[in-house]
Amino acid sequence: MNNPVVGVSACQRQIEGHGCHMVVNKYVEALRRSAGVEVVLLPALDEGLDPAILARLDGLCLTGSYSNVEPRHFGQAPWPGDCRYDPARDGSALSLVRAARRLQLPLLGICRGLQEMNVAYGGSLRQPLQELPGLLDHREPAADHMDEHYQPAHGIRLNPDGLLARLGGAPEFEVNSLHQQGIDRLGEGLIAEALAPDGLIEAISDPAHPFALGVQWHPEWRSAEHPLYRAIFTAFGAACARYRETIKA
């Protein structure tokens, strides 16, 4: 196999009465088509995955999800309301981020994946954003068609000294928005790559890592049609290829 191999985090779901490990097709398709990598699915387990599994991979992608990270992972009490927690997803994803950080394995976090990165680095989250003073409603719009869910929702301003600014080639972009949990305290060693108009951190990176990027929006949706989305996956694929050729050589 010539292409880099990337592990993709799964969620736990009940499907037809059975517990299942699930990854939505759009992540697999974007990684294969826009990043040029092969994909293996990593199960969601409460006890976490053996970090040794990452030694067989060239990159790690943390997907988005309807579930949210449990507040106990960043020292807070449970939030009221239906937060759709997925303890098994937390167990696997947080352990994998920490292992990827040690190994310097290329890492891409999408939506929930950004939040997992921030928590694994010692940061915290807050929700529901739509009920907090001064913040936008970052949830997806009520719509009948999936394309409408992923329409541009607000602008972001990129950190001119960050990775995204180098990839995107412009100071501002319009992005989609489908979340109600967001970054509160930034994790140790991370920097803010982009901000929403309300000041919410929309992207993060670890400048001490060869490639560790998290974005709060969904660049996997029609990734080939949006210059910044396409650039994110292209850069991630290139980082995985470099890792395969140099670190693992």
Side-chain angles (χ1 to χ4, degrees):
M1 185 181 296
N2 294 322
N3 291 343
V5 180
V6 169
V8 179
S9 59
C11 297
Q12 282 264 12
R13 290 285 190 277
Q14 287 289 320
I15 301 175
E16 297 179 349
H18 295 277
C20 300
H21 300 277
M22 186 196 77
V23 173
V24 179
N25 288 347
K26 60 190 174 122
Y27 299 104
V28 175
E29 292 169 358
L31 286 164
R32 297 187 75 246
R33 294 175 183 175
S34 295
V37 301
E38 300 300 333
V39 171
V40 295
L41 309 187
L42 302 177
L45 304 173
D46 289 290
E47 65 273 21
L49 293 172
D50 185 343
I53 195 171
L54 294 184
R56 304 186 179 196
L57 302 176
D58 306 306
L60 173 64
C61 178
L62 305 167
T63 66
S65 175
Y66 280 109
S67 66
N68 292 301
V69 180
E70 284 194 277
R72 65 185 177 87
H73 292 294
F74 44 93
Q76 294 185 16
W79 288 317
D82 180 12
C83 295
R84 299 189 66 170
Y85 295 132
D86 185 347
R89 165 74 185 249
D90 291 347
S92 288
L94 296 177
S95 66
L96 289 172
V97 172
R98 294 175 182 124
R101 186 182 185 185
R102 292 194 302 271
L103 293 171
Q104 300 284 277
L105 184 74
L107 174 61
L108 175 62
I110 296 173
C111 199
R112 189 194 212 272
L114 166 140
Q115 296 156 11
E116 291 164 339
M117 286 178 61
N118 192 58
V119 171
Y121 274 70
S124 65
L125 307 174
R126 52 182 169 170
Q127 83 166 56
L129 299 178
Q130 66 273 10
E131 297 180 8
L132 300 179
L135 293 182
L136 299 172
D137 187 340
H138 287 265
R139 295 173 296 178
E140 67 268 29
D144 294 328
H145 301 289
M146 196 60 68
D147 274 334
E148 296 177 58
H149 284 278
Y150 291 91
Q151 286 297 310
H154 61 72
I156 56 169
R157 176 171 288 276
L158 305 189
N159 177 348
D161 300 318
L163 172 61
L164 275 180
R166 296 195 298 274
L167 296 180
E172 298 182 4
F173 286 91
E174 291 286 318
V175 297
N176 53 51
S177 187
L178 297 90
H179 63 104
Q180 64 171 340
Q181 194 174 50
I183 290 178
D184 185 8
R185 185 182 71 255
L186 198 60
E188 182 180 358
L190 296 173
I191 65 168
E193 286 278 344
L195 299 178
D198 58 4
L200 187 71
I201 295 174
E202 286 279 325
I204 57 176
S205 71
D206 177 356
H209 193 291
F211 189 97
L213 175 68
V215 298
Q216 185 62 85
W217 64 92
H218 287 266
E220 80 285 354
W221 185 257
R222 302 194 182 281
S223 58
E225 300 174 13
H226 191 296
L228 181 61
Y229 297 3
R230 183 173 62 250
I232 288 169
F233 279 99
T234 299
F236 177 59
C240 294
R242 287 193 300 272
Y243 185 87
R244 183 183 182 91
E245 295 167 2
T246 58
I247 304 299
K248 297 178 68 176

